[in-house]
């Protein structure tokens, strides 16, 4: 079996058993990247030298027996909105085209402690704003299944890199479906954890109350193993949750007898592609055959999720992105007169269209006179959506539905009609608004040969339930073939108030949400 | 008859809290580091960094709130105030708008016009900004983020003050309360306490407030008093001329004793406040609140009463001693060491105040140790040194905090109590001043004083004037 066809856990096992060295694994990943990048463009930055040096270092630790973690020596791609010390971190934006962070994101540090070898930073929609990875300032990423199609977004680079065998797994971030939707489009497995499970420290914020980092991999087992590695309670992130149940691989059990699964009939209504619908219902049948109780129900409020999401996420983004001003780092306009002109020109030239659209939208909904009508109303809607899910989870263990209304659209189709693109987020964003965990597992192909993913949603902190359901489904579904490496190369020329689950008092162990004076450690190195 | 005007004043007072670390990161708040050395990704607004609230900031804010009779929002939140300026690395300041930690309080002030309560609308927590430094040589601006993220509280009064005297009385009281709490050193010159004055005038008896202006850059109580008078006069003049007062922020120039409108930065700016999604709400339990309440130190009013009762210190003196936290601390610590409250009070009320005035210093700047003052008092009590020498030694203590015992030994300043030695000196003085001697004998009693003085001079002050006088009388 080729290294590029192995799952992360398979490769990790072979590295631990000394069948493959970490350096060989890194070389195989880099070779695959060299082969496929011309047609796919999954990476903004590939760190060949760093990866090989790191792999040699990890191999030493593996050989000496000091590193025994399941992912030790396995190459990984990191979405380019997570800070990596000394390694370019651009958010796929011109405004951060030269930005090298002085510190590494907590989730990435957790991976590094477990022996991960970072091969590069994956492409994304600029600042994670988009559903196609076409808004990147560094070129579009193409779908490995058909390079005329988008990979989805915003974690399109991570998903396409996994689907094409460039890396066995990658990290993505999910603010409104940015892990689950591209996973569906690329035929890979992606998991967005409960808000607060993975530290956001070092994740360059889009919508702070919605953002979560999560794994993207070839199968459910890899996702569980990666989440187990990156989840941590982090004092540097006030919204981080102390959880005792992060042994997610313990949920890899092929048993769903008695598991209650609800399918929101609202999700199967008009707007859902018939082929996608059929594939989703077929996936539900697989679980039913294995003993799960499956029924449809009315979730309600589904149509309000999109406006609420775009108001909240854009509002937070308008403020989060104000620090990119050309003063301290990143892009600064060449010519300007005075401070105001420098701000205006640097930001006008540095940000892309979609980002500017959302900054303007967000600034508008927060401006005086509109705050109550838009922002507060959106927060109330968010609370109601959470309540609707609470009611649903009184009856069901898992909610099952599509991750997107269609399979991957063609390049160029979506950006022409942003509203239509926003509507494509309908099945994913309410999960972010309610702070819930959600997962996409490949469940079929449409007539064009493009993958379809089934989404499994759990109640807050119930990742184990969805992992169990996903694993059981995967076993029932049978092997899932990703596009063969040769096939990809051959087509080269063809080519977001706080997140829902718990209030502040419950989230922080101290109850007060603060740290002791002088007791905190300085986070990372000195600034500028 | 000329119209009578009433001045209406409210204050926004920013106070830097005395925490070891910044409000949202672990960086030091110490003054004087090289630029950008007390910084980290959080306080320089690096992408991906997140704030974590310093618990001590909440406790100090609560303490000030309780001491100023405020109610406490036991569920309070932080909001982002969005505006672009390079001293603010994120281009938003984390502050509190919707649910400030303290609200609806007030303190009593006393002026010649009488006693009154000045209401406190709210106290909120926020972060300080960095400093912009213009490099003339390179013609560029540089930013130092060492102060970025230093914790502040902003105390917003009601528009309850009517004169400069009331403003000063309010600030003085506020400063003392905060100093007593140990929440801040409240130095206006150094910027650890900053006051912005909101002022309007209206015809006496009018129900509606006039249009107000906000005055910034006030670095001393005197500047504040002058700015209040100046702005009052400016607004009345405008009204008298039939013109309108424009709502604006003005900058006070204390050298020119006038103000000018600042850049229109504040004008109609929309800060787009919204709750900071990176911070969770601050939940203050009843237990935590009670803990802070129980920890509140004795404040000035209580201390003043206790000094009168416990140490029998007169009203006026007790007022001075408790008028500065530092002074009160020295008084209490020295008294505890030497057990002579009256003597301690005398040294503080007399020589200390004299030297402070001479040096143009504030009582808060006193740096001598209670141990050395206590030793000095013991040296005078047991007659080792006389009052003249003691004053000289005290100056040394005041300036250099020397050990009086060692100093007296080293400089041979002990009072000479050996009568034989003294008699020899007195005999010399008598021999050298026949005129004075005959004057004294002729009934001019004043001449004795001259002779005592001459003897003291000869003894370089190291004698007890009483003993000298006795010996002189006997010999004459
Ligand atoms: Zn810092």
């Amino acid at each position: 079996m080729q290294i590029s066809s192995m799952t992360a856990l398979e490769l990790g096992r072979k590295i631990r058993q000394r069948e493959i060295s970490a350096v060989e694994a890194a070389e195989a990943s880099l070779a695959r990247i060299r082969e496929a990048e011309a047609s796919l463009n999954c990476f903004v930055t590939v760190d060949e030298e760093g990866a090989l040096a790191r792999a040699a270092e990890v191999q030493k630790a593996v050989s000496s027996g000091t590193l025994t973690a399941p992912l030790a020596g396995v190459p990984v791609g990191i979405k380019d909105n997570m800070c990596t010390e000394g390694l370019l971190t651009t958010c796929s934006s011109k405004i951060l085209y030269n930005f090298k962070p002085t510190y590494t994101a907590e989730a990435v540090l957790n991976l590094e402690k477990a022996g991960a070898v970072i091969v590069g930073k994956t492409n994304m929609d600029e600042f994670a704003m988009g559903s196609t990875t076409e808004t990147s300032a560094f070129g579009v990423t193409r779908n490995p299944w058909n390079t005329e199609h988008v990979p989805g977004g915003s974690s399109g680079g991570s998903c396409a890199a996994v689907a094409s065998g460039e890396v066995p797994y990658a990290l993505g971030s999910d603010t409104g479906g940015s892990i689950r939707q591209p996973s569906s489009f690329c035929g890979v497995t992606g998991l967005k954890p409960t808000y607060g499970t993975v530290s956001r420290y070092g994740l360059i914020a889009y919508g702070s109350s919605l953002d979560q980092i999560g794994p993207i991999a070839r199968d459910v087992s890899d996702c569980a193993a990666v989440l187990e590695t990156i989840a941590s309670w982090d004092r540097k992130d006030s919204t981080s949750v102390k959880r005792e149940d992060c042994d997610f691989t313990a949920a890899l059990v092929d048993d769903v007898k008695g598991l209650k699964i609800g399918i929101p009939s609202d999700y199967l209504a008009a707007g859902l592609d018939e082929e996608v619908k059929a594939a989703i219902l077929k996936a539900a049948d697989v679980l039913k055959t294995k003993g799960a109780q499956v029924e449809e129900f009315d979730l309600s409020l589904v149509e309000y999720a999109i406006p609420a999401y775009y108001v909240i996420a854009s509002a937070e983004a308008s403020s989060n992105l104000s620090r990119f001003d050309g003063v301290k780092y990143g892009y600064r306009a060449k010519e300007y007169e005075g401070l105001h002109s420098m701000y205006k020109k640097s930001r006008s030239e540095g940000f892309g269209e979609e980002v500017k659209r959302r900054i303007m939208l967000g600034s508008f909904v927060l401006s005086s006179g509109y705050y109550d009508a838009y922002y507060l109303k959106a927060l109330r809607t968010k609370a109601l959506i959470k309540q609707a899910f609470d009611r649903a989870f009184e009856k069901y263990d898992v909610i099952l539905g599509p991750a997107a209304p269609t399979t991957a659209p063609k390049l160029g189709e979506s950006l022409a009609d942003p509203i239509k693109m926003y509507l494509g987020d309908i099945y994913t964003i309410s999960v972010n608004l309610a702070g819930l965990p959600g997962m996409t597992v490949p469940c079929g192909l449409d007539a064009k040969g493009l993958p379809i993913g089934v989404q499994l949603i759990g109640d807050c902190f119930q990742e184990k339930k969805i992992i169990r359901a996903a694993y059981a489904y995967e076993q029932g579904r049978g092997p899932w073939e990703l596009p063969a490496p040769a096939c990809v190369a051959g087509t080269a020329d063809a080519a977001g108030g706080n997140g829902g689950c718990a209030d502040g008092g419950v989230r922080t162990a101290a109850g007060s949400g603060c740290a002791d004076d002088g007791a905190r450690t300085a986070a990372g190195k000195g600034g500028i | 008859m000329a119209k009578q005007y009433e001045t209406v004043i409210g204050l926004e007072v920013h106070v830097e809290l005395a925490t070891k670390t910044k409000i949202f990161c672990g960086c030091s708040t110490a003054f004087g580091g090289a630029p950008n050395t007390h910084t980290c990704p959080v306080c320089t607004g690096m992408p991906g960094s997140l704030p974590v609230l310093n618990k001590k900031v909440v406790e100090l804010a609560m303490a000030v709130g309780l001491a100023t009779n405020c109610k406490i929002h036991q569920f309070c939140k932080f909001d982002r105030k969005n505006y672009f300026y390079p001293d603010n690395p994120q281009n938003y300041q984390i502050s509190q708008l919707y649910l400030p930690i303290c609200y609806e309080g007030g303190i009593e002030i006393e002026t010649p016009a009488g006693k009154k309560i000045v209401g406190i609308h709210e106290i909120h927590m926020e972060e300080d900004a960095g400093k912009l430094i213009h490099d003339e040589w390179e013609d560029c601006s540089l930013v130092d983020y060492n102060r970025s993220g230093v914790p502040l509280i902003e105390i917003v009064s009601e528009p309850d003050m009517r004169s400069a005297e009331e403003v000063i009385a309010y600030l003085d009281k506020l400063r003392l309360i905060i100093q007593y709490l140990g929440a801040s050193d409240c130095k206006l010159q150094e910027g650890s306490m900053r006051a912005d004055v909101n002022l309007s005038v209206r015809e006496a008896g009018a129900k509606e407030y006039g249009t107000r202006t906000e005055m910034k850059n006030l670095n001393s109580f005197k500047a504040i008093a002058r700015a209040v008078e100046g702005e009052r006069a400016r607004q009345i003049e405008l009204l008298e001329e039939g013109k309108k007062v424009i709502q604006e922020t003005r900058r006070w120039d204390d050298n020119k004793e006038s103000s000018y409108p600042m850049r229109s930065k504040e004008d109609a700016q929309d800060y787009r406040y919204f709750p900071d999604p990176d911070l969770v709400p601050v939940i203050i339990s009843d237990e935590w609140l009670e803990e802070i309440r129980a920890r509140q130190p004795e404040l000035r009013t209580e201390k003043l009463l206790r000094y009168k009762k416990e140490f029998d210190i007169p009203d006026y003196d007790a007022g001075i001693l408790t008028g500065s936290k530092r002074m009160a601390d020295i008084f209490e610590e020295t008294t505890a060491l030497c057990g002579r409250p009256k003597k301690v009070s005398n040294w503080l009320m007399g020589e200390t105040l004299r030297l402070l005035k001479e040096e143009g210093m504030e009582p808060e700047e006193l740096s001598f140790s209670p141990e050395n003052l206590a030793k000095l008092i013991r040296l005078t009590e047991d007659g080792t040194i006389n009052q003249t020498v003691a004053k000289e030694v005290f100056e040394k203590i005041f300036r250099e905090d020397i050990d009086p015992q060692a100093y007296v030994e080293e400089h041979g300043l002990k009072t000479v109590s050996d009568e034989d030695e003294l008699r020899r000196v007195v005999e010399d003085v008598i021999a050298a001043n026949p005129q004075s001697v005959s004057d004294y004998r002729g009934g001019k009693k004043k001449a004795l004083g001259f002779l005592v003085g001459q003897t003291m001079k000869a003894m370089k002050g190291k004698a007890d004037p009483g003993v000298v006088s006795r010996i002189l009388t006997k010999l004459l």
Side-chain angles (χ1 to χ4, degrees), chain B residues 402-469:
Chain B
I402 49 107
D403 178 345
Q405 197 109 40
Y407 185 84
V408 164
E409 297 279 351
E410 236 171 79
H411 294 80
L413 295 175
K414 278 192 189 167
T415 302
V416 177
S417 43
D418 181 343
E419 293 228 359
D420 291 339
E421 191 189 336
L422 272 177
R423 182 174 289 115
R424 275 195 299 278
V425 177
V426 169
E427 280 164 1
D428 289 350
V429 168
I430 289 172
N433 296 283
Q435 185 60 44
S436 298
V437 172
S438 67
D439 284 354
Y440 177 77
R441 289 188 176 136
K444 288 190 179 167
K445 299 288 172 201
K446 265 168 86 182
L448 183 68
F450 175 77
L451 292 168
V452 171
Q454 289 301 306
T455 313
M456 290 303 288
K457 199 177 161 191
M459 291 296 297
K460 296 197 176 73
K462 295 179 293 179
D464 184 331
V467 180
V468 172
S469 170

Side-chain angles (χ1 to χ4, degrees), chain B residues 333-345:
Chain B
E333 284 169 40
T334 313
T335 300
L337 287 167
C338 71
R340 308 302 296 245
K342 288 274 194 184
K343 293 273 180 206
V344 180
S345 171

Side-chain angles (χ1 to χ4, degrees), chain B residues 25 27 39-40 43:
Chain B
C25 64
C27 293
T39 58
C40 73
C43 55

Side-chain angles (χ1 to χ4, degrees), chain A residues 522-523, chain B residues 22 24-28 38-44 148:
Chain B
K22 293 184 178 181
F24 297 123
C25 64
C27 293
S28 166
H38 298 165
T39 58
C40 73
V42 177
C43 55
T44 53
S148 165

Side-chain angles (χ1 to χ4, degrees), chain A residues 215-237:
Chain A
I216 293 157
R218 296 173 82 101
D219 67 12
V220 177
S221 303
D222 277 6
C223 273
V226 176
L227 182 59
E228 200 166 291
T229 309
I230 60 175
S232 67
W233 178 57
D234 183 4
R235 285 175 171 279
K236 299 188 296 305
D237 175 0

Side-chain angles (χ1 to χ4, degrees), chain A residues 103 202 322 325 328 368 515 517 520, chain B residues 21 47-48 53 55 89 91 270:
Chain A
Y103 71 102
S322 58
D325 57 6
K328 305 164 290 280
S368 75
D517 184 26
R520 291 160 304 168
Chain B
T21 59
L53 179 59
K55 192 174 171 186
N91 286 320
D270 187 349

Side-chain angles (χ1 to χ4, degrees), chain A residues 83 99 102-103 200-204 208-209 235-239 315-316 318-320 322-325 328-329 339 343 347 363 366-368 371 375 498 504-505 507-508 511-518 520 523 525-528, chain B residues 18-27 36 39-42 44-56 58 80 82 84-86 88-92 98 143 145 270 272-275 277-283 288:
Chain A
C83 287
F99 177 63
T102 57
Y103 71 102
R200 293 187 297 113
Y201 193 81
L203 170 68
I204 300 179
S208 313
S209 71
R235 285 175 171 279
K236 299 188 296 305
D237 175 0
S238 311
T239 63
E316 292 177 4
S318 71
S319 173
N320 285 333
S322 58
R323 72 187 65 201
F324 307 111
D325 57 6
K328 305 164 290 280
Y329 42 74
L339 181 64
Y343 281 152
R347 287 169 65 81
S363 302
L366 289 178
S367 52
S368 75
Y371 181 83
Y375 186 72
N498 53 27
R507 265 211 208 102
T508 54
S512 58
C514 21
D516 287 323
D517 184 26
R520 291 160 304 168
K525 297 186 175 174
I528 54 174
Chain B
T19 55
K20 290 199 253 341
T21 59
K22 293 184 178 181
I23 182 168
F24 297 123
C25 64
C27 293
N36 294 310
T39 58
C40 73
V42 177
T44 53
M46 281 297 174
S49 66
L50 296 169
V52 177
L53 179 59
N54 183 344
K55 192 174 171 186
K56 185 77 180 170
V58 182
R80 291 188 187 173
N82 294 287
F84 279 83
Y85 205 64
N88 173 356
Q90 306 143 135
N91 286 320
Y92 58 78
Y98 296 109
V143 203
Y145 288 123
D270 187 349
R272 293 177 285 114
Y273 277 101
F274 77 110
D278 287 333
L279 288 161
V280 291
V282 183
I283 295 160
W288 194 13

